[in-house]
mmCIF file of all heavy atoms in Angstrom:
data_model
loop_
_atom_site.group_PDB
_atom_site.id
_atom_site.type_symbol
_atom_site.label_atom_id
_atom_site.label_comp_id
_atom_site.label_asym_id
_atom_site.label_seq_id
_atom_site.Cartn_x
_atom_site.Cartn_y
_atom_site.Cartn_z
ATOM 1 N N THR J 564 -42.719 -7.084 12.291
ATOM 2 C CA THR J 564 -43.766 -7.685 11.477
ATOM 3 C C THR J 564 -44.899 -8.209 12.353
ATOM 4 O O THR J 564 -46.083 -8.028 12.046
ATOM 5 C CB THR J 564 -43.194 -8.833 10.628
ATOM 6 O OG1 THR J 564 -42.209 -8.307 9.734
ATOM 7 C CG2 THR J 564 -44.287 -9.508 9.823
ATOM 8 N N ILE J 565 -44.547 -8.849 13.454
ATOM 9 C CA ILE J 565 -45.567 -9.370 14.372
ATOM 10 C C ILE J 565 -46.370 -8.227 14.975
ATOM 11 O O ILE J 565 -47.606 -8.247 14.984
ATOM 12 C CB ILE J 565 -44.903 -10.219 15.481
ATOM 13 C CG1 ILE J 565 -44.315 -11.486 14.880
ATOM 14 C CG2 ILE J 565 -45.922 -10.558 16.574
ATOM 15 C CD1 ILE J 565 -43.496 -12.299 15.849
ATOM 16 N N LEU J 566 -45.674 -7.218 15.470
ATOM 17 C CA LEU J 566 -46.366 -6.080 16.077
ATOM 18 C C LEU J 566 -47.259 -5.377 15.058
ATOM 19 O O LEU J 566 -48.400 -5.004 15.359
ATOM 20 C CB LEU J 566 -45.349 -5.096 16.647
ATOM 21 C CG LEU J 566 -44.561 -5.561 17.877
ATOM 22 C CD1 LEU J 566 -43.495 -4.534 18.237
ATOM 23 C CD2 LEU J 566 -45.489 -5.780 19.065
ATOM 24 N N GLY J 567 -46.751 -5.193 13.843
ATOM 25 C CA GLY J 567 -47.525 -4.499 12.819
ATOM 26 C C GLY J 567 -48.745 -5.288 12.387
ATOM 27 O O GLY J 567 -49.843 -4.735 12.253
ATOM 28 N N ALA J 568 -48.567 -6.604 12.150
ATOM 29 C CA ALA J 568 -49.689 -7.431 11.707
ATOM 30 C C ALA J 568 -50.769 -7.513 12.784
ATOM 31 O O ALA J 568 -51.969 -7.446 12.477
ATOM 32 C CB ALA J 568 -49.196 -8.828 11.341
ATOM 33 N N VAL J 569 -50.364 -7.658 14.040
ATOM 34 C CA VAL J 569 -51.341 -7.712 15.129
ATOM 35 C C VAL J 569 -52.041 -6.362 15.282
ATOM 36 O O VAL J 569 -53.256 -6.301 15.513
ATOM 37 C CB VAL J 569 -50.661 -8.135 16.450
ATOM 38 C CG1 VAL J 569 -51.624 -7.988 17.635
ATOM 39 C CG2 VAL J 569 -50.174 -9.571 16.359
ATOM 40 N N SER J 570 -51.303 -5.279 15.114
ATOM 41 C CA SER J 570 -51.914 -3.947 15.197
ATOM 42 C C SER J 570 -52.968 -3.776 14.108
ATOM 43 O O SER J 570 -54.075 -3.281 14.358
ATOM 44 C CB SER J 570 -50.843 -2.860 15.062
ATOM 45 O OG SER J 570 -49.931 -2.900 16.148
ATOM 46 N N GLY J 571 -52.636 -4.192 12.882
ATOM 47 C CA GLY J 571 -53.604 -4.113 11.799
ATOM 48 C C GLY J 571 -54.824 -4.981 12.062
ATOM 49 O O GLY J 571 -55.962 -4.587 11.759
ATOM 50 N N THR J 572 -54.609 -6.144 12.666
ATOM 51 C CA THR J 572 -55.721 -7.042 12.984
ATOM 52 C C THR J 572 -56.643 -6.435 14.031
ATOM 53 O O THR J 572 -57.874 -6.496 13.916
ATOM 54 C CB THR J 572 -55.178 -8.391 13.484
ATOM 55 O OG1 THR J 572 -54.329 -8.967 12.488
ATOM 56 C CG2 THR J 572 -56.306 -9.345 13.805
ATOM 57 N N VAL J 573 -56.057 -5.847 15.061
ATOM 58 C CA VAL J 573 -56.859 -5.222 16.119
ATOM 59 C C VAL J 573 -57.650 -4.045 15.555
ATOM 60 O O VAL J 573 -58.825 -3.843 15.891
ATOM 61 C CB VAL J 573 -55.971 -4.777 17.289
ATOM 62 C CG1 VAL J 573 -56.785 -4.000 18.326
ATOM 63 C CG2 VAL J 573 -55.311 -5.983 17.946
ATOM 64 N N LEU J 574 -57.030 -3.257 14.678
ATOM 65 C CA LEU J 574 -57.743 -2.139 14.060
ATOM 66 C C LEU J 574 -58.905 -2.641 13.219
ATOM 67 O O LEU J 574 -59.988 -2.038 13.201
ATOM 68 C CB LEU J 574 -56.776 -1.318 13.205
ATOM 69 C CG LEU J 574 -55.775 -0.458 13.972
ATOM 70 C CD1 LEU J 574 -54.759 0.151 13.016
ATOM 71 C CD2 LEU J 574 -56.485 0.650 14.748
ATOM 72 N N LEU J 575 -58.696 -3.744 12.500
ATOM 73 C CA LEU J 575 -59.792 -4.323 11.722
ATOM 74 C C LEU J 575 -60.924 -4.767 12.642
ATOM 75 O O LEU J 575 -62.107 -4.585 12.333
ATOM 76 C CB LEU J 575 -59.284 -5.504 10.901
ATOM 77 C CG LEU J 575 -60.357 -6.275 10.127
ATOM 78 C CD1 LEU J 575 -61.001 -5.393 9.061
ATOM 79 C CD2 LEU J 575 -59.780 -7.534 9.486
ATOM 80 N N TYR J 576 -60.571 -5.352 13.777
ATOM 81 C CA TYR J 576 -61.597 -5.778 14.739
ATOM 82 C C TYR J 576 -62.383 -4.575 15.260
ATOM 83 O O TYR J 576 -63.614 -4.631 15.382
ATOM 84 C CB TYR J 576 -60.947 -6.524 15.899
ATOM 85 C CG TYR J 576 -61.928 -6.916 16.982
ATOM 86 C CD1 TYR J 576 -62.704 -8.063 16.867
ATOM 87 C CD2 TYR J 576 -62.083 -6.129 18.123
ATOM 88 C CE1 TYR J 576 -63.615 -8.421 17.847
ATOM 89 C CE2 TYR J 576 -62.996 -6.479 19.107
ATOM 90 C CZ TYR J 576 -63.752 -7.625 18.967
ATOM 91 O OH TYR J 576 -64.660 -7.962 19.940
#
Side-chain angles (χ1 to χ4, degrees):
T564 298
I565 292 173
L566 291 174
V569 171
S570 295
T572 302
V573 174
L574 287 172
L575 175 64
Y576 176 83

